[in-house]
Amino acid sequence: MPEVRRGPVPPAPGSLEGRHTSVVFSDDRQWAGHLVAFVRGGLEKGERVRYFAGTTAPEQVLRALTGAGVDAAGAVTRGQLSVSVAAQSCLAGPGSDPDAMIGSWFDEAEAARAAGYPALRAISEMSWRAGDVVGADRLLEYELRLHHEVFDRLPLTAWCFYDRRLMSDAYVNALAGAHVTQRGEPCAGPALRVAPSVDRPGLALSGSAGYDTRDAVAAAAAVVSSVAAAQPLELDLAALRHVDAASLAALADAAAARPGGTRLKVRQAPSSLRRLLQLFPEFDSVVEVVDR
């Protein structure tokens, strides 16, 4: 995959905790509560605030803010707040391509910096990507890559809004689980949870990987193969209870697809993966098992 373009935006200081958050709700009251708290906090900090609407009319967003006592009109007039339709924004990307969408965050952050704002704060409604949008199947890959490819490099805080009325529970649970921080309605744990590792570039897989979780495995494999080989990457499998042969093969093939450089580190590899590596020595040059 092509290297994602990155602008001259200074890296974000401090912890990533709470900077990339999933917000799950099932009614308009919950939606408005999260919206108002997030936007008000950003305006008070002097940050630029952007709202990328999916199915919500931009006028409804502004009415909800105004009704809660937020001077939305004033913020829009001075350029601090904007509400736009996500599908028509640069974040849509060609075919919802994760590389293009990730690159657009660097453009947004650079535009905020150039306008004199110390940081960017954004809400994205994600339900529109789960419909008939070309590339919607890559949404989980996109969410998984954001943590280390965007949030540890940019002064950005973003909440991803998931409306249960517009998406299946299984899809919401999988996508929400891809965020280190979660707000709103609790999500039942999916059979396989794939989430960014907190303390190092990589992914943590927990639960059971099999036929029913092939989409999540494919997303994890896409992350493995898409991250530049020169960048260290690790899979933490300590909490993975079961993994079938097809899932193992997908992850091993993704490691082999990395164009040279550092090997993929696999922490607490299950015995089935160790047997696979023994059977196919060619994987030994691209996979390193770490037991601590």
Side-chain angles (χ1 to χ4, degrees):
M1 293 188 181
E3 178 72 12
V4 175
R5 177 168 52 87
R6 292 173 170 83
V9 183
S15 171
L16 295 183
E17 181 68 24
R19 299 250 311 281
H20 181 212
T21 300
S22 65
V23 179
V24 180
F25 57 89
S26 59
D27 61 48
D28 290 347
R29 179 188 57 80
Q30 295 172 341
W31 164 80
H34 295 299
L35 162 71
V36 171
F38 186 82
V39 172
R40 178 178 282 136
L43 296 180
E44 291 176 349
K45 291 180 179 180
E47 300 173 343
R48 170 168 279 182
V49 182
R50 297 213 59 185
Y51 189 105
F52 298 100
T55 58
T56 307
E59 296 79 10
Q60 182 180 349
V61 176
L62 296 174
R63 284 197 302 269
L65 291 170
T66 301
V70 176
D71 182 14
V76 169
T77 299
R78 63 179 178 268
Q80 187 179 5
L81 170 67
S82 65
V83 182
S84 57
V85 177
Q88 298 173 357
S89 73
C90 61
L91 291 180
S96 292
D97 174 63
D99 286 303
M101 290 154 55
I102 287 171
S104 68
W105 281 117
F106 285 82
D107 295 336
E108 290 284 346
E110 170 58 23
R113 185 201 64 80
Y117 295 98
L120 174 66
R121 178 175 288 231
I123 288 176
S124 293
E125 293 184 7
M126 307 306 294
S127 56
W128 70 279
R129 295 191 186 280
D132 296 328
V133 178
V134 176
D137 58 328
R138 301 190 69 186
L139 180 54
L140 181 56
E141 175 194 344
Y142 166 72
E143 292 285 30
L144 290 170
R145 291 175 58 184
L146 282 176
H147 186 76
H148 293 294
E149 293 188 50
V150 173
F151 288 91
D152 63 355
R153 304 186 185 192
L154 295 180
L156 168 68
T157 299
W159 286 5
C160 299
F161 273 22
Y162 291 98
D163 189 341
R164 284 198 183 278
R165 297 169 295 184
L166 303 174
M167 307 168 71
S168 71
D169 281 344
Y171 200 26
V172 169
N173 293 342
L175 291 168
H179 300 69
V180 173
T181 309
Q182 302 172 33
R183 296 175 63 95
E185 294 184 351
C187 292
L192 174 67
R193 184 190 177 196
V194 185
S197 298
V198 175
D199 56 347
R200 58 177 63 87
L203 303 174
L205 279 64
S206 59
S208 177
Y211 179 79
D212 292 339
T213 63
R214 60 192 182 281
D215 291 341
V217 172
V223 174
V224 169
S225 61
S226 65
V227 175
Q231 177 179 336
L233 188 70
E234 179 178 299
L235 289 184
D236 186 344
L237 307 184
L240 193 63
R241 298 189 306 271
H242 167 76
V243 57
D244 67 357
S247 298
L248 287 175
L251 295 173
D253 286 343
R258 288 161 59 84
T262 59
R263 291 190 292 175
L264 173 69
K265 290 186 177 182
V266 179
R267 188 172 300 276
Q268 298 295 319
S271 57
S272 52
L273 176 57
R274 297 173 188 270
R275 288 195 297 271
L276 180 71
L277 297 177
Q278 291 173 351
L279 291 173
F280 299 94
E282 61 269 26
F283 287 134
D284 187 59
S285 63
V286 295
V287 176
E288 176 185 356
V289 174
V290 181
D291 287 323
R292 60 184 185 280

